[in-house]
Amino acid sequence: MRKTFSASPLPLCFLCVLGLFGCSSNGQSLITNLPGEQPATQPTEHANGIVQDWSMRHLAYPRFGEINTMIALQQDPRALLSWQAAEREDFHRARTPQRFVDAPVETTRDWSISLGGGTTAPAMYPAKFTFDVNATANCATDFIVYPVNVAGSGTQPNIVAFNNLYSGTNPSNGICNRTAVGGVDDGVSATTFWSYNIQAAGGRVATSPALSLDGTKVAFVETAAGAAHFHVLAWKSGDGVAANLQSVITPRTINSGFATLAPVAGTGTATDLTLGSSSDTLSSPFVDYANDFAYIGNDTGTLFRVTHVFCTNPDCTNGGSPAPILDGNWGSGGGLATACSGQLTSPVVDGRTGNIFVGCSDGKLYGFTPAGAPIPGSPLIVGNGTVTGGIVDPPMIDAVNGFAYVVSGNSAGGSSVLVQAGTTSFSSPTPVTATLGQGGLFSIHAPAFNEAYFASGFTTVANVQGTTSSNTSPGTISNWQILEWANSGVAGTPVTLYGVGFNSSHVMTSGAAGNFLELPSSSVELSPVTEFMNGSTDEVFVSGLLNAPPNIIEYNITNFANLFPNVLMPVNGTSAVGASIGEGSGTSGMVVDNVSASTQASSIYFGVPSPGSNGNSAVKLTQSGLH
C-alpha cells in the first residue's frame, strides 16, 4: 500500500489515526502504512455507504492540517468520506502498475436514458449512493438519483433513480449486463429503480437532491411559481417502474396524504414542508448530518433551516419521530432574512466552525453563525449584481485551512473574479481577489482544486508487486492550484482555463490569474469544473452550456509545465477526437464515481439540461483507463 509520511509528523499521524484508521462516528476502519510496515488490508464495511452528491463538490478536505482542526472535523461525515475516498484511491493506485498517459484517452457513452419531457437543470447534480464502502460494485443496490426539471404528471416524473449502473458495451461487457428481453430490457443499460411524481404545488425539481448517509431517503425541493416545498422521500424499490425497464414514464404520484411522521425506509412515503411563498431556482438543500438540519434558500433572499430531516438524532427518534419541520430557533419561524433580495445559491456549512455560507444574485457572499448572526464583514461584495455579476453557484469551503471561495461573472472592475475569504470573518484575513478575464459575458460556475492541493506536504513511496519506487510529491506548494474556466474576451479563443496559486499559508495569489489554455470557440457559458485523479493523471472536465456539440472538454493537469492539448471528448462511441458530437447542448454538473478498481464501475454521470441530439437524458460515460 502507499506509505505516507511527512516532515511534520504530529498533524499527519493524527490524520492517519483519526481520519483513516478507524472513524468511530461511522464505524469504518481504513489503514495507512507507516515506513517499514507490511501492506494493510482493504477498508472494512460499515452500515453507511458512500454518498456522492453536489455538496461533496463544495467542501474541500485536504489531507494535512493542524491537529485542532482535524479534531474538530472528526464529527463531519463528509470529511471522513473524503479522506476515506482518498485512501481507497491510494490503495488502487498502489496495486496498479503506474501508466503515464502520453495521449488523451477515449471517453464513450455507456448508456443514455430519457427523463421524459424533463431535464436536469444546468449546474445541478444527480446524487449517487454506493452500498459497499469497499467500492465493490453492486448492480442491485448501488443507485443514482436524477432531479427532473419539469412539472410532474401521471406520465412524467420529477425525480427518478436508476440501478444496474455498471452496464454498457465499452470497453467490454458491463458487469451489470443482462440477457436482453425485447420491449422489456435492452440488457446493456441501467434500469429504472424507482420513478416518482411528487408534488404539493404541481412543481418541478430544479435543484440537486441530497441523500441520507444510509441511502434510504432522499431530500429535495419541489418548486413552482410562488411556492417551494421541501420533501423527504423514503423510496421503495420498484415504485413507478414500467414494463420497459429503460422507461420512466409511469411514475408513482404522491400529491396528497403526505406523511406526518418521519417516513420509514422502504415504504414509498414522502413528507411535505412549505418554504415561504417564493420559488427556489438555485438553492439545493444542504444537509448538516451531525445536527440533522437542512438549509435551503429561495428566490427572495430567505434562508430556511429545517430540523428532523432524516430523523437520525435522539431528539427526533425519542420525540415521536416527527416529520421535518422549520426550526423556530432560526430567524423568524425558521426563515432567516439574509438582506439579499434576489436568488440565493445552495448554502454550504463549514464542518469545523458550523458557519453557513450562501451566495446571492446581488453579487454578495453572506456568512452566518449557527445562531443566525452575520459573521464579521458579511456580506462580502464579490460581483457587481448585474445579470452576469451575481453569484450563481454555491461557495466552496476548505474546512481544513479555513477559507471560502466564490466566483462571479462580472465585478466592479469589469472582470470575472475568484475571491478567497476567511470562514470565521470576511474582514480578517483580508479577502484576496484573482481576476479571470473579461466580465459581463456570462455567469461563471464553481471552480475546483487540483489533486496537489489535497496532498499538500505529502511525499509518497509506492510498493507495487514487491517493487519500491519514489516519486516527487504532487503536493509541492508550487503545484497547488484552484482552476476555473471563464471567458477571456479574446476574439477567436475566448474559452480559457485559468489557474490560481497559493503561498505556504494557503493564501491565494491576487491579481491576474495564470492562463493555461485558450480554446478556439465561440464565447459560451460553461458548466461547473469537475476534477478527479485518474490513476496517475489529474484531469478536469467542463461542458459548454446551450452550445452545439462538440461541447465536453477534458484537460490533463498532471504536469503544469507540460500540459496536454485540449480534448473535445468523443462521447458517442466513436474514436474521432474533436468530431462534431457531444451531449445535446451541454451537460449538468458531473458526478464522478472513481472509487472502484473496476473500469465499468468507475464512471461519469450527468444530465443533459436542454434538447439536442441526446437531450432530456440521464447519461453515464466510461473513460478508458479510468480507475
Side-chain angles (χ1 to χ4, degrees):
M1 172 174 259
R2 170 168 159 170
K3 299 180 182 179
T4 312
F5 52 93
S6 168
S8 302
L10 181 60
L12 182 55
C13 286
F14 176 78
L15 173 57
C16 292
V17 173
L18 173 65
L20 301 176
F21 276 142
C23 305
S24 59
S25 64
N26 63 352
Q28 181 174 359
S29 176
L30 283 165
I31 308 297
T32 292
N33 296 113
L34 298 177
E37 292 184 335
Q38 295 297 313
T41 57
Q42 272 191 286
T44 58
E45 186 175 348
H46 64 88
N48 295 331
I50 302 169
V51 173
Q52 294 165 283
D53 67 4
W54 76 269
S55 67
M56 298 297 291
R57 280 274 295 105
H58 290 270
L59 282 159
Y61 301 98
R63 302 190 287 275
F64 189 87
E66 296 295 330
I67 189 168
N68 290 337
T69 299
M70 312 313 281
I71 291 172
L73 287 173
Q74 69 173 310
Q75 301 303 318
D76 183 351
R78 289 181 178 87
L80 302 181
L81 285 170
S82 176
W83 291 328
Q84 292 159 3
E87 183 70 4
R88 281 190 299 272
E89 291 170 4
D90 286 349
F91 181 91
H92 297 316
R93 278 196 292 270
R95 282 153 176 78
T96 303
Q98 293 296 309
R99 295 176 296 102
F100 296 96
V101 181
D102 295 320
V105 290
E106 180 184 346
T107 295
T108 56
R109 185 188 303 138
D110 276 327
W111 47 258
S112 173
I113 299 177
S114 173
L115 296 173
T119 65
T120 302
M124 300 302 168
Y125 293 77
K128 183 177 184 291
F129 184 79
T130 304
F131 179 80
D132 188 342
V133 296
N134 296 324
T136 301
N138 190 312
C139 298
T141 59
D142 293 359
F143 64 92
I144 191 163
V145 179
Y146 279 83
V148 187
N149 189 28
V150 68
S153 71
T155 57
Q156 175 62 59
N158 58 11
I159 192 161
V160 173
F162 302 99
N163 64 351
N164 281 311
L165 303 179
Y166 317 119
S167 304
T169 57
N170 178 72
S172 59
N173 287 335
I175 59 179
C176 294
N177 286 7
R178 308 153 309 277
T179 301
V181 179
V184 175
D185 185 0
D186 66 14
V188 293
S189 298
T191 54
T192 305
F193 194 34
W194 45 258
S195 177
Y196 287 96
N197 163 36
I198 298 178
Q199 51 172 281
R204 55 198 171 96
V205 182
T207 57
S208 309
L211 294 170
S212 61
L213 287 173
D214 64 2
T216 62
K217 298 179 183 180
V218 183
F220 60 96
V221 176
E222 172 207 354
T223 188
H229 290 254
F230 178 73
H231 300 294
V232 173
L233 167 67
W235 53 266
K236 181 180 180 181
S237 175
D239 269 4
V241 176
N244 183 336
L245 298 180
Q246 280 76 49
S247 172
V248 302
I249 60 172
T250 60
R252 180 184 168 199
T253 294
I254 301 177
N255 56 12
S256 63
F258 290 101
T260 57
L261 298 176
V264 176
T267 59
T269 54
T271 65
D272 174 52
L273 178 65
T274 302
L275 302 176
S277 57
S278 173
S279 56
D280 171 16
T281 303
L282 298 177
S283 192
S284 307
F286 182 98
V287 178
D288 175 353
Y289 292 114
N291 293 300
D292 202 24
F293 291 154
Y295 293 89
I296 309 109
N298 70 6
D299 290 348
T300 54
T302 300
L303 182 62
F304 297 95
R305 184 161 79 187
V306 177
T307 190
H308 306 322
V309 177
F310 295 129
C311 201
T312 53
N313 290 349
D315 64 335
C316 181
T317 55
N318 296 335
S321 299
I325 57 172
L326 289 172
D327 186 350
N329 296 319
W330 175 260
S332 176
L336 180 71
T338 62
C340 162
S341 59
Q343 295 177 346
L344 293 177
T345 68
S346 306
V348 180
V349 178
D350 176 13
R352 180 173 63 91
T353 64
N355 289 342
I356 304 100
F357 301 90
V358 64
C360 179
S361 57
D362 65 4
K364 298 174 183 177
L365 178 66
Y366 294 81
F368 301 95
T369 69
I375 68 171
S378 178
L380 174 67
I381 298 175
V382 178
N384 61 13
T386 59
V387 172
T388 58
I391 299 172
V392 297
D393 271 16
M396 290 180 60
I397 306 298
D398 176 349
V400 172
N401 295 297
F403 289 109
Y405 298 84
V406 66
V407 293
S408 180
N410 203 2
S411 65
S415 299
S416 53
V417 292
L418 166 64
V419 176
Q420 178 196 55
T423 54
T424 57
S425 169
F426 291 160
S427 301
S428 179
T430 302
V432 176
T433 300
T435 56
L436 304 176
Q438 181 179 339
L441 299 175
F442 294 96
S443 296
I444 61 173
H445 294 278
F449 295 102
N450 68 341
E451 174 65 16
Y453 186 87
F454 294 92
S456 57
F458 281 71
T459 301
T460 63
V461 177
N463 291 327
V464 182
Q465 299 177 348
T467 301
T468 301
S469 62
S470 299
N471 54 316
T472 303
S473 168
T476 304
I477 294 170
S478 61
N479 290 339
W480 298 353
Q481 297 283 336
I482 184 169
L483 303 157
E484 178 65 295
W485 290 90
N487 286 269
S488 66
V490 176
T493 56
V495 177
T496 302
L497 175 63
Y498 293 94
V500 182
F502 299 85
N503 67 17
S504 60
S505 298
H506 291 85
V507 175
M508 195 175 75
T509 303
S510 64
N515 177 346
F516 290 129
L517 175 70
E518 291 183 329
L519 296 183
S521 170
S522 57
S523 184
V524 296
E525 185 174 352
L526 299 163
S527 70
V529 182
T530 297
E531 179 274 343
F532 64 90
M533 192 70 174
N534 178 10
S536 61
T537 305
D538 197 8
E539 297 179 335
V540 292
F541 275 66
V542 73
S543 171
L545 298 178
L546 303 179
N547 189 45
N551 51 25
I552 301 177
I553 304 165
E554 179 205 17
Y555 203 42
N556 183 321
I557 58 171
T558 306
N559 183 352
F560 279 94
N562 185 28
L563 292 176
F564 290 170
N566 63 290
V567 181
L568 300 178
M569 297 306 299
V571 292
N572 67 344
T574 177
S575 60
V577 175
S580 295
I581 53 177
E583 292 294 342
S585 30
T587 76
S588 68
M590 302 179 188
V591 170
V592 178
D593 173 10
N594 196 26
V595 296
S596 173
S598 168
T599 300
Q600 271 287 351
S602 297
S603 302
I604 304 164
Y605 304 84
F606 53 80
V608 178
S610 57
S613 61
N614 190 39
N616 305 339
S617 299
V619 176
K620 172 182 177 281
L621 308 182
T622 290
Q623 184 176 6
S624 60
L626 182 64
H627 62 81

